[in-house]
Amino acid sequence: MSYNFLTGRDYLTKRKQKEKKKLISVALGFPDLVFAANAIPVFPIRMEKFKINLYLMALNSATSLFGWDLTTKILGIARQLDFLKVVEKVLDDVVNSINDKYNEMYDLGVENGVPSDLCYGVNALYGMHKSRGSVLDANLNFAMRCGKWNKFSESLQSIVPNQIWVNIPPREAENEDKTLEIMVNNVKKAISELEGITGNYITDNSLKKQFRIGNQVKRFYKTILYEICSSDFYPCNPATFAEILALLTISFQDYNSNAQRYLENMSQLVTEMRERIKKGIGMDVSDMPRILIAPMFGGWEPETHEIIYELGGRALYADWEILGLIDEISVSENSDPVEDYARFLLDASKKGIGCDSDALTNSYLNFVKNLEIDGIIINQLFGCPSLSNSYEILKSKIKSELEVPAIVINFRKIGENVDVVKAQLRTYMEIFK
Ligand code: SF4
């Protein structure tokens, strides 16, 4: 999965040039319509050139030849290496490589006219489009009720002329049918625009096939969150585990541009994790408090999970679960997939992507309760008025209703505030001693 993330540029170029596939940029985890159109969804940072760790290249070749089990044995016997250490080092390098690129894209966004008082994520996304937008055939954009996001999306028109907008209407309890009708029409409009750009029909069957693949991916994702995260024994140390969760958050946005391959990787990942836990390979984490760090998708300080680990905790990332994006899309033989997708979008909007404070707070509370989270670190993004106001309310609700200690940390750019965060977390983690 990491390898596929970092080598996206070659893969995407090949599919565009040799197979004449259309590249459509997506973000936040909405690639399904693009897959159903037989086009390639891409979270645009993947079109960049990344530094690739040599071990990762070797591991990728070895595992595709021998499978993980045999590769582990070969590495262990032939070179007396601690396999977990290799994986830790590789993941560390992968996350660092992605983060360096994120900062580069952020700087590009700021230099090219996006006012820097926008949140990190929007600046970085703008930079990604500025850098490689010319190879994109369109951008598929789900309009949220965040003015800054929508303003940014409008500004993309000058880089990627084909903009497909899916507006998600506010859900009014007294008028559910009308809201659903509007949502269905908005999805239909996007489908016909995608068909025009790709030259491919999006049929009920292609939608259902994609939703089924997506649902399996989501089931594995939830297994990692609910089964593995709640285990008292981890398949690796908690900092590496947090890195895997961070990579899942980033890579899920375009399912690595190949949903079937991503599904197979997810399946292998879950099998591997379960096997390790069963064999007792990994780390006893029973006395380490579970600390949720959220949200991280709009930009976060990746050092945070390392710091938490050093201070005796285990950090988790679960943005897409909290925002309802890994909820399954109902699929049945006689159902209308457009309506099913419209319902899924409305439900996700109700959970938090609609930027509604109460909805977001409830999603957090549910997740904290369900996963028996011991503490929560709220990542307050500089330049995000839409969500920032919710955080103080969220912090006090989590404290008063669940008696879970919460802390707000500030984020502007990767690497900028590490010492302050470290000092804050040192005091915060004392609570769990
Ligand atoms: S809600 Fe906040 S983090 Fe999300 S796009 Fe808007 S400003 Fe950025």
Side-chain angles (χ1 to χ4, degrees):
M1 214 177 266
S2 302
Y3 182 83
N4 293 337
F5 189 96
L6 299 183
T7 54
R9 188 182 170 116
D10 292 343
Y11 176 80
L12 295 163
T13 309
K14 210 185 296 162
R15 298 210 70 185
K16 186 174 169 81
Q17 289 177 353
K18 291 207 174 133
E19 298 170 30
K20 306 285 173 232
K21 299 276 186 191
K22 302 288 183 199
L23 295 186
I24 317 275
S25 69
V26 291
L28 298 175
F30 294 115
D32 296 298
L33 293 182
V34 181
F35 280 127
N38 199 14
I40 312 286
V42 52
F43 182 55
I45 201 169
R46 291 190 49 246
M47 295 185 298
E48 296 295 322
K49 235 187 163 68
F50 287 91
K51 264 190 271 159
I52 303 181
N53 173 298
L54 280 178
Y55 273 136
L56 181 60
M57 285 212 252
L59 270 182
N60 188 63
S61 318
T63 50
S64 47
L65 274 176
F66 310 122
W68 273 103
D69 253 9
L70 199 53
T71 307
T72 315
K73 279 182 200 139
I74 293 168
L75 278 177
I77 295 163
R79 306 176 63 183
Q80 301 294 305
L81 278 171
D82 180 342
F83 187 68
L84 278 177
K85 280 265 170 306
V86 176
V87 173
E88 267 166 40
K89 170 85 181 93
V90 166
L91 278 175
D92 220 40
D93 276 7
V94 169
V95 170
N96 286 339
S97 178
I98 294 173
N99 289 331
D100 287 350
K101 194 55 81 177
Y102 254 104
N103 264 357
E104 204 182 308
M105 295 297 109
Y106 167 85
D107 289 338
L108 199 62
V110 176
E111 279 159 26
N112 280 280
V114 183
S116 54
D117 63 349
L118 288 182
C119 70
Y120 181 86
V122 166
N123 269 307
L125 258 179
Y126 189 80
M128 292 174 208
H129 283 89
K130 191 80 199 164
S131 167
R132 304 284 302 154
S134 57
V135 297
L136 290 169
D137 295 287
N139 169 44
L140 175 62
N141 177 39
F142 289 75
M144 300 190 296
R145 273 171 299 290
C146 161
K148 293 199 175 194
W149 173 269
N150 294 339
K151 213 170 121 207
F152 140 78
S153 303
E154 278 162 24
S155 70
L156 281 186
Q157 182 107 37
S158 60
I159 306 172
V160 186
N162 286 326
Q163 292 289 322
I164 305 166
W165 279 70
V166 184
N167 194 20
I168 305 179
R171 197 166 194 169
E172 288 156 18
E174 66 283 2
N175 214 345
E176 294 256 335
D177 290 348
K178 184 75 198 151
T179 315
L180 181 62
E181 194 188 317
I182 297 172
M183 189 71 254
V184 166
N185 286 334
N186 293 351
V187 174
K188 281 185 177 160
K189 185 173 153 282
I191 285 178
S192 87
E193 286 171 20
L194 266 172
E195 287 176 336
I197 289 162
T198 60
N200 301 325
Y201 279 121
I202 299 181
T203 62
D204 281 4
N205 278 344
S206 67
L207 283 169
K208 285 184 183 182
K209 183 178 169 217
Q210 174 53 34
F211 295 162
R212 285 196 182 97
I213 295 174
N215 286 345
Q216 290 179 70
V217 166
K218 291 168 181 180
R219 242 168 271 159
F220 284 124
Y221 205 144
K222 286 197 188 238
T223 303
I224 294 172
L225 286 178
Y226 288 100
E227 182 187 307
I228 315 283
C229 283
S230 58
S231 161
D232 280 339
F233 193 90
Y234 271 11
C236 50
N237 80 49
T240 303
F241 191 73
E243 269 165 4
I244 294 174
L245 294 177
L247 275 172
L248 286 181
T249 311
I250 298 168
S251 63
F252 179 77
Q253 298 187 80
D254 63 1
Y255 295 13
N256 261 344
S257 299
N258 182 331
Q260 185 61 42
R261 183 181 67 182
Y262 196 80
L263 171 60
E264 284 155 21
N265 285 332
M266 282 295 258
S267 160
Q268 274 176 17
L269 184 61
V270 169
T271 309
E272 180 73 16
M273 284 180 168
R274 282 181 171 152
E275 280 293 303
R276 283 182 176 271
I277 292 174
K278 211 164 95 192
K279 289 181 190 158
I281 306 170
M283 193 168 160
D284 184 339
V285 289
S286 52
D287 59 350
M288 302 176 94
R290 275 184 211 114
I291 312 288
L292 174 70
I293 305 174
M296 55 79 76
F297 70 92
W300 99 113
E301 179 49 64
E303 274 290 304
T304 321
H305 56 251
E306 290 285 349
I307 302 170
I308 297 287
Y309 174 47
E310 280 161 22
L311 294 170
R314 42 175 155 159
L316 308 176
Y317 300 109
D319 281 1
W320 303 141
E321 169 64 357
I322 293 166
L323 294 174
L325 296 183
I326 53 171
D327 287 352
E328 291 187 28
I329 302 170
S330 102
V331 191
S332 67
E333 213 174 311
N334 301 317
S335 64
D336 173 355
V338 174
E339 204 174 301
D340 291 336
Y341 193 56
R343 274 208 188 84
F344 160 76
L345 292 172
L346 288 172
D347 287 344
S349 164
K350 210 167 115 191
K351 281 197 171 177
I353 54 163
C355 296
D356 175 295
S357 273
D358 290 337
L360 201 59
T361 305
N362 286 337
S363 298
Y364 273 99
L365 288 175
N366 285 337
F367 184 76
V368 168
K369 242 188 290 180
N370 291 342
L371 213 72
E372 297 177 4
I373 295 290
D374 300 297
I376 166 161
I377 296 170
I378 300 166
N379 178 40
Q380 178 149 305
L381 284 173
F382 174 84
C384 172
S386 320
L387 298 177
S388 293
N389 299 336
S390 322
Y391 293 148
E392 281 305 324
I393 308 168
L394 173 65
K395 189 175 139 189
S396 60
K397 265 205 163 175
I398 284 181
K399 221 171 183 171
S400 61
E401 290 187 22
L402 304 177
E403 292 181 11
V404 168
I407 184 178
V408 175
I409 57 171
N410 292 303
F411 173 80
R412 186 188 187 117
K413 187 181 175 187
I414 295 173
E416 216 178 70
N417 204 21
V418 182
D419 288 341
V420 178
V421 168
K422 211 179 243 177
Q424 270 182 290
L425 293 182
R426 207 170 284 134
T427 314
Y428 174 68
M429 290 302 287
E430 285 296 316
I431 301 171
F432 303 99
K433 290 194 174 147

